[in-house]
Amino acid sequence: MNLPLAGQVAIVTGGARGIGLGIAQALQRDGARVAIWDLDVNATSLRDAGFSPDHVERVDVASLESVEHGFARTVEALGHVDILVNNAGINGPVAPCWEYPVDAWHTVLAVDLNSVFYGCRVAIPHMRARGGGRIVNVASIAGKEGVQFISGYSAAKAGVIAFTKSAAKELAKDKVLINCVAPAMVETELFAEMSDAHIDASKAKIPMGRFLQIEEVGAMVSWIASPACSFTTGFTFDLTGGRATY
Ligand SMILES: NC(=O)c1ccc[n+]([C@@H]2O[C@H](COP(=O)([O-])OP(=O)(O)OC[C@H]3O[C@@H](n4cnc5c(N)ncnc54)[C@H](O)[C@@H]3O)[C@@H](O)[C@H]2O)c1
């Protein structure tokens, strides 16, 4: 059987657990060899999922130096990179913006937004030289709507969406397609940082009346990263069960 991603190499940041792990599994199932970048490279979640990545690299996506090093090591191990999924992210504090800790603001922006810039800055020259590639950035409904009490996270994710639009226009003739997904709530360990009230309020906003499943994110990202997605770039694909119809 000819798998859609056969012969391709993908990097998934934050792939040790949660949504990233689900994306990594979907890409591998569709034929790609997959490198996982994470701070937590000994995650039991990988073993629990019975998933064997083709390469694992300890990378702090908030550090350009670490991203450059991780990219070089990945190319060394797997030969080339065709797909980059910028997924690693943190929620940060839940607090009114006027009380939001300044240090946490900088950390959230570094992990959720600077990381996307760093990953692209390092991967794009490689992809352009190879004659193409796919980048998928994991944004959030928070970046489209702005969610109360997570202003740092919302601002970072809005930044990811705008960055993706700019980069897509710059790359449109290079066969490097760059898109976002904007998920609503998925039940992952990110929930540990959120209050029950915040989780309940988020569910109430989803017309389908349920949380998003990780497999649904994996399937969509794998399609966006595949040759079948050929005429869409700079777009934010919706994963909100009807909450955002724009
Ligand atoms: N869970 C949700 O409801 C939801 C909704 C919308 C968007 N998202 C986004 O999806 C992405 C994944 O979220 P998740 O729910 O799977 O989170 P998670 O906390 O379960 O997993 C995040 C992974 O990223 C890694 N990570 C964190 N900081 C890192 C760093 N500096 N360098 C490298 N790796 C790092 C963690 O070790 C972990 O493996 C995030 O970008 C998040 O904002 C999540």
Side-chain angles (χ1 to χ4, degrees):
M1 189 173 55
N2 219 356
L3 294 170
L5 302 181
Q8 301 209 28
V9 173
I11 294 170
V12 181
T13 73
R17 67 172 195 230
I19 293 174
L21 174 56
I23 292 171
Q25 287 178 293
L27 295 174
Q28 198 185 60
R29 206 177 302 123
D30 285 342
R33 284 182 297 148
V34 177
I36 280 181
W37 290 4
D38 209 290
L39 281 179
D40 183 8
V41 289
N42 296 311
T44 51
S45 41
L46 281 175
R47 280 193 300 276
D48 292 349
F51 176 61
S52 300
D54 298 275
H55 184 69
V56 176
E57 199 65 51
R58 191 188 183 282
V59 174
D60 176 1
V61 294
S63 153
L64 177 59
E65 200 187 345
S66 182
V67 168
E68 285 172 337
H69 181 72
F71 195 82
R73 297 253 311 164
T74 304
V75 172
E76 216 175 275
L78 300 179
H80 53 93
V81 174
D82 308 283
I83 297 165
L84 170 65
V85 182
N86 286 307
N87 161 80
I90 54 171
N91 191 64
V94 178
C97 60
W98 60 93
E99 290 172 6
Y100 201 97
V102 173
D103 284 356
W105 175 274
H106 289 300
T107 304
V108 168
L109 268 287
V111 178
D112 292 353
L113 177 58
N114 295 358
S115 62
V116 174
F117 167 57
Y118 295 159
C120 290
R121 197 173 191 288
V122 170
I124 286 171
H126 176 90
M127 290 178 176
R128 291 183 75 217
R130 280 180 56 73
R134 295 283 191 279
I135 300 173
V136 184
N137 298 323
V138 179
S140 167
I141 181 66
K144 286 169 93 173
E145 293 192 350
V147 173
Q148 63 272 47
F149 308 127
I150 51 168
S151 56
Y153 181 83
S154 300
K157 294 298 188 180
V160 169
I161 292 170
F163 174 84
T164 302
K165 291 177 184 178
S166 299
K169 288 173 181 146
E170 294 167 18
L171 289 165
K173 298 256 166 61
D174 292 329
K175 298 196 172 79
V176 178
L177 275 53
I178 174 166
N179 289 290
C180 289
V181 291
M185 295 280 266
V186 190
E187 209 163 345
T188 66
E189 288 175 46
L190 210 69
F191 270 41
E193 300 173 59
M194 302 173 198
S195 68
D196 287 348
H198 178 76
I199 292 170
D200 291 345
S202 301
K203 192 174 183 181
K205 288 185 205 160
I206 299 175
M208 286 191 189
R210 64 167 175 87
F211 288 123
L212 171 64
Q213 301 300 300
I214 287 177
E215 295 70 29
E216 293 172 313
V217 188
M220 180 177 273
V221 170
S222 188
W223 182 79
I224 297 168
S226 77
C229 178
S230 55
F231 204 52
T232 308
T233 192
F235 190 61
T236 301
F237 287 82
D238 179 74
L239 276 166
T240 66
R243 173 170 165 186
T245 50
Y246 59 94

